[in-house]
Amino acid sequence: MTTGVEHEERVEHEERVEHEERVEHEERVEHEERVEHEERVEHEERVEHEERVEHEERVEHEERVEHEERVEHEERVEHEERVEHEERVEHEERVEHEERVEHEERVEHEERVEHEERVEHEERVEHEERVEHDERVEHEERVEHEERVEHEERVEHEERVEHGHEERVEHEERVEHEERVEHEERVEHEERVEHEERVEHEERVEHEERVEHEERVEHEERVEHEERVEHEERAEHEKRVEHEERVKHEKSG
């Protein structure tokens, strides 16, 4: 049989073991809860960190996309401005070239007209001098002929007087001679007047034809110039409309 002391010691031992086990259990539970808490805290911090990293990467990505779009937009605007500038410079150079060509053609035309008028004038002067020379030669030949006839008549008259012809015959011959000279002078004057009127008429007709030709050429050049200017303005307008539509399309896109 066990004594009362042994019983008490055993009970006390069992209680102490039980107490130790309970304390050990509580510490273990407390340790597990602490470990679990730390793991949960660590997990939350990791999740929070990952979300923050993900957020920063998303923000960085959006900023990079926004930057690239802005750079792309600026490059496109710069390209369009450069293209527009080059087209404007090209248009100005083309207009300047056409005006220079037009000026050179006008100067060339004026020089050609001036040359033709000078040649025409020289030919007319040469013609008039030749006509004047022919008329002078003709006049000299006529005067020479009249002097010869007069001489022959005088010789004949002297011979007639020498043979006793009457003075009336001499008077009639003198009157006839004067009438013939007067007739020849009148004919010569009428021919000269007729020649001057013909020359004046030819010069007037020639001048009117030249003026009419120059006005026609000037009209054709003006029409051609207006058509070219109208064509350039229409082309420039179409380019500007196309450019505005492209810019509008890109902005809306």
Side-chain angles (χ1 to χ4, degrees):
M1 286 185 66
T2 60
T3 62
V5 173
E6 288 177 349
H7 175 74
E8 287 176 0
E9 287 177 352
R10 191 171 57 250
V11 169
E12 185 182 349
H13 173 74
E14 288 174 355
E15 287 177 351
R16 192 170 55 251
V17 169
E18 183 181 351
H19 173 70
E20 289 173 354
E21 288 178 347
R22 192 169 56 249
V23 168
E24 185 183 352
H25 173 73
E26 288 174 354
E27 288 177 348
R28 193 170 54 250
V29 168
E30 184 182 353
H31 173 72
E32 289 175 352
E33 288 177 348
R34 191 169 58 251
V35 168
E36 185 181 351
H37 173 71
E38 290 173 352
E39 288 178 346
R40 191 168 59 251
V41 168
E42 185 183 353
H43 173 72
E44 290 173 351
E45 289 177 345
R46 192 168 55 251
V47 169
E48 184 182 354
H49 173 72
E50 290 174 351
E51 288 177 345
R52 190 169 58 251
V53 168
E54 185 181 354
H55 173 72
E56 290 173 351
E57 288 178 345
R58 190 168 58 251
V59 169
E60 185 183 353
H61 173 72
E62 291 173 351
E63 289 177 345
R64 192 168 58 251
V65 168
E66 184 182 354
H67 172 73
E68 290 173 351
E69 289 178 344
R70 191 169 58 250
V71 169
E72 184 182 355
H73 173 71
E74 290 172 353
E75 289 177 345
R76 189 168 59 249
V77 169
E78 184 183 354
H79 172 73
E80 291 172 351
E81 288 177 346
R82 192 168 57 250
V83 168
E84 185 179 353
H85 172 72
E86 291 172 352
E87 289 176 344
R88 189 168 59 249
V89 169
E90 183 183 354
H91 172 72
E92 290 171 353
E93 289 177 346
R94 189 169 61 249
V95 169
E96 183 182 353
H97 172 72
E98 290 174 350
E99 288 178 345
R100 192 168 58 249
V101 168
E102 185 181 352
H103 172 72
E104 291 172 353
E105 288 177 345
R106 191 167 58 249
V107 169
E108 185 181 353
H109 170 72
E110 290 172 354
E111 289 177 345
R112 191 168 59 249
V113 168
E114 185 181 353
H115 173 72
E116 290 173 353
E117 288 178 344
R118 193 168 56 248
V119 169
E120 186 180 349
H121 174 72
E122 291 171 354
E123 289 177 345
R124 190 167 60 249
V125 168
E126 185 181 351
H127 173 72
E128 290 172 353
E129 289 176 347
R130 193 167 56 248
V131 169
E132 187 179 350
H133 172 72
D134 293 344
E135 289 177 345
R136 193 169 55 249
V137 169
E138 184 181 352
H139 174 71
E140 290 172 353
E141 289 177 346
R142 192 165 57 248
V143 168
E144 184 182 351
H145 172 71
E146 289 172 354
E147 289 176 346
R148 193 168 55 251
V149 168
E150 187 179 351
H151 172 72
E152 291 173 351
E153 288 176 345
R154 192 168 55 250
V155 168
E156 185 180 350
H157 170 70
E158 290 171 353
E159 289 176 349
R160 210 165 40 245
V161 168
E162 187 178 338
H163 289 81
H165 281 61
E166 299 178 356
E167 292 180 353
R168 190 175 64 255
V169 172
E170 183 183 350
H171 172 72
E172 291 172 353
E173 288 176 344
R174 191 167 58 252
V175 169
E176 183 183 353
H177 171 71
E178 289 172 353
E179 288 177 345
R180 189 169 61 251
V181 169
E182 183 182 353
H183 173 73
E184 289 174 350
E185 288 177 347
R186 191 168 58 250
V187 169
E188 183 182 355
H189 173 72
E190 290 173 351
E191 288 176 346
R192 190 166 58 251
V193 169
E194 184 182 354
H195 170 73
E196 290 172 354
E197 289 177 344
R198 189 169 61 251
V199 168
E200 184 181 353
H201 173 72
E202 290 173 352
E203 288 178 345
R204 191 168 57 252
V205 169
E206 185 180 352
H207 173 73
E208 290 172 351
E209 289 177 345
R210 188 169 59 252
V211 168
E212 183 182 354
H213 172 73
E214 289 173 353
E215 288 177 345
R216 189 168 60 251
V217 169
E218 184 181 353
H219 173 72
E220 291 172 352
E221 289 176 345
R222 191 168 59 250
V223 168
E224 184 181 354
H225 174 72
E226 290 172 352
E227 288 177 346
R228 189 166 59 248
V229 168
E230 183 182 356
H231 173 73
E232 290 174 355
E233 289 177 346
R234 190 165 58 250
E236 187 178 353
H237 174 73
E238 290 173 354
K239 280 185 178 177
R240 193 165 56 248
V241 169
E242 184 180 352
H243 171 72
E244 291 173 353
E245 288 179 347
R246 190 168 63 246
V247 169
K248 193 188 299 181
H249 175 71
E250 290 174 351
K251 283 183 179 176
S252 64

